[in-house]
Structures are given as C-alpha cells and as structure tokens.
Amino acid sequence: MKISRILILFAVLITTSLSFAQESEEDESLSLDSGPISSQFDYISKKSGNYRADGVRYEVVKEVNLYKLRENVLDSVRAFNQRAAGLNATISEHETTISSLNKKLEETTSNLAAVTEEKDSMSFLGISVSKATYNIILWTIIIGLFILLGIFVYRFRNSNILTQEAKQNLAELEVEYEDHRRRALEREQKISRKLQDELNKQKKTK
C-alpha cells in the first residue's frame, strides 16, 4: 500500500512538473517584443492578474504592457497601411502598364488590319481595288485584247485573201489584155498587108 501511494505521488509530481515546464516554455515563447499580435494578446492575458467583485471577474493588466501592446498594434496598422499603399501603387502601375499594352495592342491590330487590307488590294488607275476585282478587270482586258487580236487576224486573212484574188484577177486580166493586144496587132498587121497588097495591085493596074 505504501509503495502504491508513493508511486501515485511520484506520478502526480512528474505530471505537475511537466505541466509547469510546458507552461514555462509557453510563457517564454510569448512576448511583447516579437511574434504576431494574437500571441502578444495571449502574453497580456497570461501576465494579467484577476479578481472578482460583485460576482464579476476582472483582469488587471500592467499599464506598461498595455501601452506596449498599443504601440505594437499601431506599428502593425502602420505597416499594414504602408503595405496596402505599396500594393495600391503596384496595382496602379500595373493598370497603367495594362492600359499602355492595350493601346499598343489596338494600334498593332489596326496596323495589321491596314497591312492585310493593303495586301489584299491593288492599285488600278490610282484607285484601290480588291485583288479579286483587279484580277477580273485584268482578265477582262486580256480576253478583250485576245478577241481584238482574233478579229484583226481574221480581217487580215480575209483582206489577204481578197488581195490575192485581186492580184490573180489582175494577172488574168493582164494576160487577157496582152492576148487581146496581140490579136489586135495581128489583125492590124493583116489589114495593113492587105491594104498594101491592094495598093500594089492598083499601081500595077495603072
């Protein structure tokens, strides 16, 4: 029985020691000089005393700790405000950059559209027309020129044929004329000989 009581008492002492050591470590980790605001409030709560009056529990906080906590809170608020101001400035700078990039993008898009339109268009007689219209006009002119060339060749061939026919007719006419002139000359010679013969006969008769 005595041994059991001694063991129980020893266990209680060890448990109490561990709890006290853990609380001491926690108290040492809590401070008003470092750590987040929540841990500083925990430090104030740990270091404050308490009492009851009229059934209400009150916490007694050291004034110096309260001022220190107040300064820390204000410092945190100022740091937060500075960080917020820095973030706002960064956001504003990014918005300016985005606006500039959007403007450049619009200019690039406009230039690209102009280049595409210029690429897809041709100048014809000082007038800007699309490539399709330009091709239609060009092929219309080419086909028209081929048609005119065909008409010219056709008329030239017909004219050449008529010229050859006229030359042939003229050659035939010249042959006929020469033949007629030759026959006329022969007749004239025959008549002249007959006339001369008659004259000679008349002379002999006299």
Side-chain angles (χ1 to χ4, degrees), residues 57-85:
R57 181 179 176 181
Y58 294 92
E59 295 288 336
V60 179
V61 180
K62 291 182 180 180
E63 188 176 13
V64 64
N65 290 342
L66 187 61
Y67 286 153
K68 180 66 175 177
L69 180 62
R70 178 175 176 273
E71 287 297 325
N72 293 341
V73 171
L74 292 176
D75 289 341
S76 297
V77 171
R78 280 192 292 269
F80 175 78
N81 289 335
Q82 290 178 357
R83 179 175 175 78

PDB file of all heavy atoms in Angstrom, residues 57-85:
ATOM      1  N   ARG A  57     -15.768  38.885 -12.863  1.00  0.00           N
ATOM      2  CA  ARG A  57     -14.331  38.662 -12.919  1.00  0.00           C
ATOM      3  C   ARG A  57     -13.665  39.792 -13.702  1.00  0.00           C
ATOM      4  O   ARG A  57     -14.067  40.117 -14.800  1.00  0.00           O
ATOM      5  CB  ARG A  57     -14.020  37.313 -13.571  1.00  0.00           C
ATOM      6  CG  ARG A  57     -12.527  37.003 -13.629  1.00  0.00           C
ATOM      7  CD  ARG A  57     -12.269  35.663 -14.245  1.00  0.00           C
ATOM      8  NE  ARG A  57     -10.847  35.402 -14.394  1.00  0.00           N
ATOM      9  CZ  ARG A  57     -10.317  34.319 -14.923  1.00  0.00           C
ATOM     10  NH1 ARG A  57     -11.143  33.372 -15.390  1.00  0.00           N
ATOM     11  NH2 ARG A  57      -9.012  34.163 -15.010  1.00  0.00           N
ATOM     12  N   TYR A  58     -12.601  40.361 -13.162  1.00  0.00           N
ATOM     13  CA  TYR A  58     -11.845  41.433 -13.800  1.00  0.00           C
ATOM     14  C   TYR A  58     -10.410  40.973 -14.007  1.00  0.00           C
ATOM     15  O   TYR A  58      -9.846  40.253 -13.205  1.00  0.00           O
ATOM     16  CB  TYR A  58     -11.858  42.708 -12.925  1.00  0.00           C
ATOM     17  CG  TYR A  58     -13.235  43.334 -12.798  1.00  0.00           C
ATOM     18  CD1 TYR A  58     -14.066  42.984 -11.736  1.00  0.00           C
ATOM     19  CD2 TYR A  58     -13.665  44.272 -13.715  1.00  0.00           C
ATOM     20  CE1 TYR A  58     -15.325  43.552 -11.607  1.00  0.00           C
ATOM     21  CE2 TYR A  58     -14.923  44.851 -13.583  1.00  0.00           C
ATOM     22  CZ  TYR A  58     -15.754  44.498 -12.529  1.00  0.00           C
ATOM     23  OH  TYR A  58     -16.985  45.063 -12.402  1.00  0.00           O
ATOM     24  N   GLU A  59      -9.848  41.465 -15.139  1.00  0.00           N
ATOM     25  CA  GLU A  59      -8.447  41.201 -15.430  1.00  0.00           C
ATOM     26  C   GLU A  59      -7.658  42.482 -15.194  1.00  0.00           C
ATOM     27  O   GLU A  59      -8.020  43.554 -15.672  1.00  0.00           O
ATOM     28  CB  GLU A  59      -8.247  40.754 -16.885  1.00  0.00           C
ATOM     29  CG  GLU A  59      -8.892  39.416 -17.230  1.00  0.00           C
ATOM     30  CD  GLU A  59      -8.152  38.263 -16.603  1.00  0.00           C
ATOM     31  OE1 GLU A  59      -6.956  38.412 -16.318  1.00  0.00           O
ATOM     32  OE2 GLU A  59      -8.779  37.191 -16.406  1.00  0.00           O
ATOM     33  N   VAL A  60      -6.562  42.356 -14.445  1.00  0.00           N
ATOM     34  CA  VAL A  60      -5.712  43.502 -14.142  1.00  0.00           C
ATOM     35  C   VAL A  60      -4.481  43.418 -15.036  1.00  0.00           C
ATOM     36  O   VAL A  60      -3.721  42.448 -14.970  1.00  0.00           O
ATOM     37  CB  VAL A  60      -5.305  43.525 -12.666  1.00  0.00           C
ATOM     38  CG1 VAL A  60      -4.404  44.725 -12.401  1.00  0.00           C
ATOM     39  CG2 VAL A  60      -6.528  43.547 -11.766  1.00  0.00           C
ATOM     40  N   VAL A  61      -4.304  44.421 -15.912  1.00  0.00           N
ATOM     41  CA  VAL A  61      -3.205  44.448 -16.868  1.00  0.00           C
ATOM     42  C   VAL A  61      -2.252  45.558 -16.493  1.00  0.00           C
ATOM     43  O   VAL A  61      -2.681  46.663 -16.139  1.00  0.00           O
ATOM     44  CB  VAL A  61      -3.730  44.674 -18.305  1.00  0.00           C
ATOM     45  CG1 VAL A  61      -2.565  44.692 -19.310  1.00  0.00           C
ATOM     46  CG2 VAL A  61      -4.737  43.596 -18.680  1.00  0.00           C
ATOM     47  N   LYS A  62      -0.948  45.262 -16.606  1.00  0.00           N
ATOM     48  CA  LYS A  62       0.031  46.307 -16.343  1.00  0.00           C
ATOM     49  C   LYS A  62      -0.091  47.403 -17.401  1.00  0.00           C
ATOM     50  O   LYS A  62      -0.208  47.145 -18.591  1.00  0.00           O
ATOM     51  CB  LYS A  62       1.443  45.732 -16.367  1.00  0.00           C
ATOM     52  CG  LYS A  62       1.761  44.803 -15.199  1.00  0.00           C
ATOM     53  CD  LYS A  62       3.202  44.323 -15.277  1.00  0.00           C
ATOM     54  CE  LYS A  62       3.542  43.407 -14.122  1.00  0.00           C
ATOM     55  NZ  LYS A  62       4.949  42.934 -14.177  1.00  0.00           N
ATOM     56  N   GLU A  63      -0.012  48.643 -16.922  1.00  0.00           N
ATOM     57  CA  GLU A  63      -0.169  49.768 -17.838  1.00  0.00           C
ATOM     58  C   GLU A  63       0.945  49.788 -18.883  1.00  0.00           C
ATOM     59  O   GLU A  63       0.711  50.081 -20.069  1.00  0.00           O
ATOM     60  CB  GLU A  63      -0.181  51.080 -17.037  1.00  0.00           C
ATOM     61  CG  GLU A  63      -0.536  52.288 -17.888  1.00  0.00           C
ATOM     62  CD  GLU A  63      -0.643  53.547 -17.044  1.00  0.00           C
ATOM     63  OE1 GLU A  63      -0.212  53.524 -15.880  1.00  0.00           O
ATOM     64  OE2 GLU A  63      -1.163  54.542 -17.572  1.00  0.00           O
ATOM     65  N   VAL A  64       2.172  49.467 -18.456  1.00  0.00           N
ATOM     66  CA  VAL A  64       3.295  49.485 -19.387  1.00  0.00           C
ATOM     67  C   VAL A  64       3.106  48.439 -20.484  1.00  0.00           C
ATOM     68  O   VAL A  64       3.418  48.676 -21.666  1.00  0.00           O
ATOM     69  CB  VAL A  64       4.618  49.261 -18.632  1.00  0.00           C
ATOM     70  CG1 VAL A  64       4.659  47.882 -17.985  1.00  0.00           C
ATOM     71  CG2 VAL A  64       5.815  49.439 -19.574  1.00  0.00           C
ATOM     72  N   ASN A  65       2.569  47.256 -20.095  1.00  0.00           N
ATOM     73  CA  ASN A  65       2.293  46.233 -21.095  1.00  0.00           C
ATOM     74  C   ASN A  65       1.186  46.681 -22.052  1.00  0.00           C
ATOM     75  O   ASN A  65       1.227  46.405 -23.257  1.00  0.00           O
ATOM     76  CB  ASN A  65       1.901  44.921 -20.420  1.00  0.00           C
ATOM     77  CG  ASN A  65       3.074  44.265 -19.706  1.00  0.00           C
ATOM     78  OD1 ASN A  65       4.231  44.599 -19.974  1.00  0.00           O
ATOM     79  ND2 ASN A  65       2.795  43.351 -18.782  1.00  0.00           N
ATOM     80  N   LEU A  66       0.172  47.355 -21.507  1.00  0.00           N
ATOM     81  CA  LEU A  66      -0.927  47.841 -22.341  1.00  0.00           C
ATOM     82  C   LEU A  66      -0.438  48.869 -23.361  1.00  0.00           C
ATOM     83  O   LEU A  66      -0.807  48.827 -24.543  1.00  0.00           O
ATOM     84  CB  LEU A  66      -2.015  48.449 -21.450  1.00  0.00           C
ATOM     85  CG  LEU A  66      -3.306  48.842 -22.159  1.00  0.00           C
ATOM     86  CD1 LEU A  66      -3.962  47.629 -22.798  1.00  0.00           C
ATOM     87  CD2 LEU A  66      -4.269  49.510 -21.174  1.00  0.00           C
ATOM     88  N   TYR A  67       0.435  49.809 -22.909  1.00  0.00           N
ATOM     89  CA  TYR A  67       0.988  50.802 -23.837  1.00  0.00           C
ATOM     90  C   TYR A  67       1.860  50.134 -24.904  1.00  0.00           C
ATOM     91  O   TYR A  67       1.857  50.531 -26.070  1.00  0.00           O
ATOM     92  CB  TYR A  67       1.796  51.839 -23.072  1.00  0.00           C
ATOM     93  CG  TYR A  67       0.949  52.818 -22.289  1.00  0.00           C
ATOM     94  CD1 TYR A  67       1.439  53.447 -21.147  1.00  0.00           C
ATOM     95  CD2 TYR A  67      -0.351  53.107 -22.697  1.00  0.00           C
ATOM     96  CE1 TYR A  67       0.671  54.342 -20.427  1.00  0.00           C
ATOM     97  CE2 TYR A  67      -1.129  53.997 -21.990  1.00  0.00           C
ATOM     98  CZ  TYR A  67      -0.622  54.623 -20.855  1.00  0.00           C
ATOM     99  OH  TYR A  67      -1.399  55.505 -20.161  1.00  0.00           O
ATOM    100  N   LYS A  68       2.636  49.137 -24.447  1.00  0.00           N
ATOM    101  CA  LYS A  68       3.491  48.424 -25.383  1.00  0.00           C
ATOM    102  C   LYS A  68       2.666  47.708 -26.446  1.00  0.00           C
ATOM    103  O   LYS A  68       2.977  47.755 -27.651  1.00  0.00           O
ATOM    104  CB  LYS A  68       4.346  47.409 -24.613  1.00  0.00           C
ATOM    105  CG  LYS A  68       5.299  46.581 -25.471  1.00  0.00           C
ATOM    106  CD  LYS A  68       6.374  47.433 -26.096  1.00  0.00           C
ATOM    107  CE  LYS A  68       7.386  46.592 -26.839  1.00  0.00           C
ATOM    108  NZ  LYS A  68       8.408  47.388 -27.533  1.00  0.00           N
ATOM    109  N   LEU A  69       1.588  47.051 -25.974  1.00  0.00           N
ATOM    110  CA  LEU A  69       0.698  46.374 -26.918  1.00  0.00           C
ATOM    111  C   LEU A  69       0.055  47.373 -27.870  1.00  0.00           C
ATOM    112  O   LEU A  69      -0.086  47.120 -29.067  1.00  0.00           O
ATOM    113  CB  LEU A  69      -0.372  45.590 -26.154  1.00  0.00           C
ATOM    114  CG  LEU A  69      -1.390  44.833 -27.012  1.00  0.00           C
ATOM    115  CD1 LEU A  69      -0.689  43.774 -27.852  1.00  0.00           C
ATOM    116  CD2 LEU A  69      -2.455  44.192 -26.124  1.00  0.00           C
ATOM    117  N   ARG A  70      -0.320  48.553 -27.318  1.00  0.00           N
ATOM    118  CA  ARG A  70      -0.924  49.598 -28.149  1.00  0.00           C
ATOM    119  C   ARG A  70       0.056  50.048 -29.236  1.00  0.00           C
ATOM    120  O   ARG A  70      -0.310  50.193 -30.400  1.00  0.00           O
ATOM    121  CB  ARG A  70      -1.334  50.775 -27.272  1.00  0.00           C
ATOM    122  CG  ARG A  70      -1.931  51.953 -28.034  1.00  0.00           C
ATOM    123  CD  ARG A  70      -2.408  53.025 -27.061  1.00  0.00           C
ATOM    124  NE  ARG A  70      -2.885  54.197 -27.758  1.00  0.00           N
ATOM    125  CZ  ARG A  70      -2.125  55.224 -28.146  1.00  0.00           C
ATOM    126  NH1 ARG A  70      -0.820  55.205 -27.874  1.00  0.00           N
ATOM    127  NH2 ARG A  70      -2.635  56.246 -28.802  1.00  0.00           N
ATOM    128  N   GLU A  71       1.325  50.271 -28.870  1.00  0.00           N
ATOM    129  CA  GLU A  71       2.348  50.678 -29.827  1.00  0.00           C
ATOM    130  C   GLU A  71       2.552  49.600 -30.895  1.00  0.00           C
ATOM    131  O   GLU A  71       2.689  49.895 -32.088  1.00  0.00           O
ATOM    132  CB  GLU A  71       3.672  50.968 -29.122  1.00  0.00           C
ATOM    133  CG  GLU A  71       3.676  52.250 -28.321  1.00  0.00           C
ATOM    134  CD  GLU A  71       3.474  53.476 -29.211  1.00  0.00           C
ATOM    135  OE1 GLU A  71       3.974  53.449 -30.371  1.00  0.00           O
ATOM    136  OE2 GLU A  71       2.798  54.423 -28.771  1.00  0.00           O
ATOM    137  N   ASN A  72       2.578  48.336 -30.426  1.00  0.00           N
ATOM    138  CA  ASN A  72       2.756  47.243 -31.376  1.00  0.00           C
ATOM    139  C   ASN A  72       1.591  47.163 -32.366  1.00  0.00           C
ATOM    140  O   ASN A  72       1.778  46.929 -33.569  1.00  0.00           O
ATOM    141  CB  ASN A  72       2.905  45.920 -30.639  1.00  0.00           C
ATOM    142  CG  ASN A  72       4.200  45.860 -29.843  1.00  0.00           C
ATOM    143  OD1 ASN A  72       5.142  46.622 -30.089  1.00  0.00           O
ATOM    144  ND2 ASN A  72       4.268  44.960 -28.877  1.00  0.00           N
ATOM    145  N   VAL A  73       0.375  47.351 -31.831  1.00  0.00           N
ATOM    146  CA  VAL A  73      -0.808  47.326 -32.700  1.00  0.00           C
ATOM    147  C   VAL A  73      -0.750  48.472 -33.710  1.00  0.00           C
ATOM    148  O   VAL A  73      -1.008  48.302 -34.901  1.00  0.00           O
ATOM    149  CB  VAL A  73      -2.100  47.393 -31.867  1.00  0.00           C
ATOM    150  CG1 VAL A  73      -3.312  47.592 -32.773  1.00  0.00           C
ATOM    151  CG2 VAL A  73      -2.269  46.117 -31.047  1.00  0.00           C
ATOM    152  N   LEU A  74      -0.391  49.685 -33.222  1.00  0.00           N
ATOM    153  CA  LEU A  74      -0.282  50.830 -34.136  1.00  0.00           C
ATOM    154  C   LEU A  74       0.811  50.607 -35.179  1.00  0.00           C
ATOM    155  O   LEU A  74       0.645  50.968 -36.353  1.00  0.00           O
ATOM    156  CB  LEU A  74      -0.009  52.107 -33.336  1.00  0.00           C
ATOM    157  CG  LEU A  74      -1.162  52.590 -32.444  1.00  0.00           C
ATOM    158  CD1 LEU A  74      -0.739  53.820 -31.632  1.00  0.00           C
ATOM    159  CD2 LEU A  74      -2.402  52.907 -33.278  1.00  0.00           C
ATOM    160  N   ASP A  75       1.956  50.023 -34.722  1.00  0.00           N
ATOM    161  CA  ASP A  75       3.015  49.719 -35.684  1.00  0.00           C
ATOM    162  C   ASP A  75       2.531  48.730 -36.747  1.00  0.00           C
ATOM    163  O   ASP A  75       2.829  48.877 -37.939  1.00  0.00           O
ATOM    164  CB  ASP A  75       4.237  49.143 -34.963  1.00  0.00           C
ATOM    165  CG  ASP A  75       4.965  50.206 -34.139  1.00  0.00           C
ATOM    166  OD1 ASP A  75       4.748  51.408 -34.408  1.00  0.00           O
ATOM    167  OD2 ASP A  75       5.738  49.828 -33.225  1.00  0.00           O
ATOM    168  N   SER A  76       1.797  47.731 -36.284  1.00  0.00           N
ATOM    169  CA  SER A  76       1.261  46.743 -37.234  1.00  0.00           C
ATOM    170  C   SER A  76       0.285  47.395 -38.209  1.00  0.00           C
ATOM    171  O   SER A  76       0.289  47.104 -39.412  1.00  0.00           O
ATOM    172  CB  SER A  76       0.564  45.607 -36.477  1.00  0.00           C
ATOM    173  OG  SER A  76       1.479  44.907 -35.652  1.00  0.00           O
ATOM    174  N   VAL A  77      -0.559  48.307 -37.655  1.00  0.00           N
ATOM    175  CA  VAL A  77      -1.519  49.016 -38.516  1.00  0.00           C
ATOM    176  C   VAL A  77      -0.781  49.878 -39.533  1.00  0.00           C
ATOM    177  O   VAL A  77      -1.124  49.928 -40.722  1.00  0.00           O
ATOM    178  CB  VAL A  77      -2.490  49.844 -37.680  1.00  0.00           C
ATOM    179  CG1 VAL A  77      -3.339  50.752 -38.565  1.00  0.00           C
ATOM    180  CG2 VAL A  77      -3.398  48.928 -36.859  1.00  0.00           C
ATOM    181  N   ARG A  78       0.280  50.601 -39.074  1.00  0.00           N
ATOM    182  CA  ARG A  78       1.050  51.444 -39.995  1.00  0.00           C
ATOM    183  C   ARG A  78       1.738  50.586 -41.064  1.00  0.00           C
ATOM    184  O   ARG A  78       1.751  50.944 -42.246  1.00  0.00           O
ATOM    185  CB  ARG A  78       2.096  52.247 -39.214  1.00  0.00           C
ATOM    186  CG  ARG A  78       1.524  53.488 -38.525  1.00  0.00           C
ATOM    187  CD  ARG A  78       2.641  54.387 -38.019  1.00  0.00           C
ATOM    188  NE  ARG A  78       3.374  53.773 -36.917  1.00  0.00           N
ATOM    189  CZ  ARG A  78       3.076  53.936 -35.633  1.00  0.00           C
ATOM    190  NH1 ARG A  78       2.033  54.714 -35.291  1.00  0.00           N
ATOM    191  NH2 ARG A  78       3.789  53.356 -34.690  1.00  0.00           N
ATOM    192  N   ALA A  79       2.305  49.460 -40.609  1.00  0.00           N
ATOM    193  CA  ALA A  79       2.954  48.573 -41.579  1.00  0.00           C
ATOM    194  C   ALA A  79       1.935  48.047 -42.588  1.00  0.00           C
ATOM    195  O   ALA A  79       2.218  47.956 -43.792  1.00  0.00           O
ATOM    196  CB  ALA A  79       3.636  47.411 -40.859  1.00  0.00           C
ATOM    197  N   PHE A  80       0.741  47.711 -42.066  1.00  0.00           N
ATOM    198  CA  PHE A  80      -0.317  47.242 -42.963  1.00  0.00           C
ATOM    199  C   PHE A  80      -0.709  48.332 -43.955  1.00  0.00           C
ATOM    200  O   PHE A  80      -0.897  48.078 -45.149  1.00  0.00           O
ATOM    201  CB  PHE A  80      -1.529  46.795 -42.135  1.00  0.00           C
ATOM    202  CG  PHE A  80      -2.714  46.412 -42.978  1.00  0.00           C
ATOM    203  CD1 PHE A  80      -2.765  45.173 -43.608  1.00  0.00           C
ATOM    204  CD2 PHE A  80      -3.778  47.300 -43.144  1.00  0.00           C
ATOM    205  CE1 PHE A  80      -3.856  44.828 -44.385  1.00  0.00           C
ATOM    206  CE2 PHE A  80      -4.860  46.952 -43.919  1.00  0.00           C
ATOM    207  CZ  PHE A  80      -4.907  45.708 -44.539  1.00  0.00           C
ATOM    208  N   ASN A  81      -0.851  49.570 -43.438  1.00  0.00           N
ATOM    209  CA  ASN A  81      -1.210  50.690 -44.323  1.00  0.00           C
ATOM    210  C   ASN A  81      -0.130  50.937 -45.375  1.00  0.00           C
ATOM    211  O   ASN A  81      -0.432  51.208 -46.546  1.00  0.00           O
ATOM    212  CB  ASN A  81      -1.455  51.957 -43.513  1.00  0.00           C
ATOM    213  CG  ASN A  81      -2.737  51.895 -42.697  1.00  0.00           C
ATOM    214  OD1 ASN A  81      -3.666  51.158 -43.054  1.00  0.00           O
ATOM    215  ND2 ASN A  81      -2.798  52.630 -41.592  1.00  0.00           N
ATOM    216  N   GLN A  82       1.155  50.863 -44.940  1.00  0.00           N
ATOM    217  CA  GLN A  82       2.244  51.041 -45.906  1.00  0.00           C
ATOM    218  C   GLN A  82       2.226  49.935 -46.961  1.00  0.00           C
ATOM    219  O   GLN A  82       2.419  50.191 -48.147  1.00  0.00           O
ATOM    220  CB  GLN A  82       3.583  51.042 -45.178  1.00  0.00           C
ATOM    221  CG  GLN A  82       3.821  52.294 -44.324  1.00  0.00           C
ATOM    222  CD  GLN A  82       5.136  52.232 -43.573  1.00  0.00           C
ATOM    223  OE1 GLN A  82       5.851  51.233 -43.644  1.00  0.00           O
ATOM    224  NE2 GLN A  82       5.452  53.298 -42.844  1.00  0.00           N
ATOM    225  N   ARG A  83       1.992  48.713 -46.490  1.00  0.00           N
ATOM    226  CA  ARG A  83       1.932  47.596 -47.427  1.00  0.00           C
ATOM    227  C   ARG A  83       0.758  47.768 -48.387  1.00  0.00           C
ATOM    228  O   ARG A  83       0.880  47.530 -49.602  1.00  0.00           O
ATOM    229  CB  ARG A  83       1.808  46.278 -46.666  1.00  0.00           C
ATOM    230  CG  ARG A  83       1.715  45.049 -47.562  1.00  0.00           C
ATOM    231  CD  ARG A  83       1.725  43.776 -46.730  1.00  0.00           C
ATOM    232  NE  ARG A  83       1.516  42.598 -47.542  1.00  0.00           N
ATOM    233  CZ  ARG A  83       2.430  42.020 -48.295  1.00  0.00           C
ATOM    234  NH1 ARG A  83       3.651  42.526 -48.334  1.00  0.00           N
ATOM    235  NH2 ARG A  83       2.159  40.940 -49.015  1.00  0.00           N
ATOM    236  N   ALA A  84      -0.392  48.221 -47.826  1.00  0.00           N
ATOM    237  CA  ALA A  84      -1.564  48.454 -48.675  1.00  0.00           C
ATOM    238  C   ALA A  84      -1.288  49.560 -49.685  1.00  0.00           C
ATOM    239  O   ALA A  84      -1.670  49.461 -50.858  1.00  0.00           O
ATOM    240  CB  ALA A  84      -2.779  48.815 -47.812  1.00  0.00           C
ATOM    241  N   ALA A  85      -0.606  50.639 -49.229  1.00  0.00           N
ATOM    242  CA  ALA A  85      -0.261  51.730 -50.143  1.00  0.00           C
ATOM    243  C   ALA A  85       0.683  51.240 -51.235  1.00  0.00           C
ATOM    244  O   ALA A  85       0.544  51.586 -52.414  1.00  0.00           O
ATOM    245  CB  ALA A  85       0.367  52.892 -49.374  1.00  0.00           C
TER     246      ALA A  85
END
